[in-house]
Amino acid sequence: MLNFTGTPAKPKMIGKDGGSENGLQNLAVYYQSLFDIEENINHYSWNDYQNAKRKFVKYLMKHRAA
């Protein structure tokens, strides 16, 4: 996934305490960061944005390669 400058986006995957969490939590954070683009932020209302993000992450988690 490329960000607006054309460079790959590398979200930070750390837990609340600063350490890394388990792999599925890291993957969920990564998938959420993929959804956080300007096009989505400007398109949805806040509640619809949260619901769409949740559905996006659920879809990717269900259909990811094992």
Side-chain angles (χ1 to χ4, degrees):
M1 180 74 187
L2 298 178
N3 63 16
F4 294 109
T5 61
T7 59
K10 292 187 179 182
K12 295 180 182 177
M13 293 207 262
I14 57 173
K16 295 176 186 171
D17 61 352
S20 86
E21 301 273 336
N22 73 33
L24 285 177
Q25 288 173 336
N26 287 342
L27 190 58
V29 169
Y30 176 72
Y31 287 160
Q32 288 174 3
S33 71
L34 293 179
F35 191 80
D36 292 336
I37 61 173
E38 188 174 346
E39 181 179 352
N40 290 334
I41 293 169
N42 293 335
H43 178 73
Y44 294 104
S45 68
W46 177 249
N47 289 333
D48 290 342
Y49 176 78
Q50 292 297 325
N51 290 333
K53 183 191 253 187
R54 191 172 294 113
K55 287 180 181 181
F56 177 77
V57 171
K58 279 184 174 182
Y59 176 83
L60 290 177
M61 289 292 246
K62 185 176 180 181
H63 294 93
R64 65 187 169 91

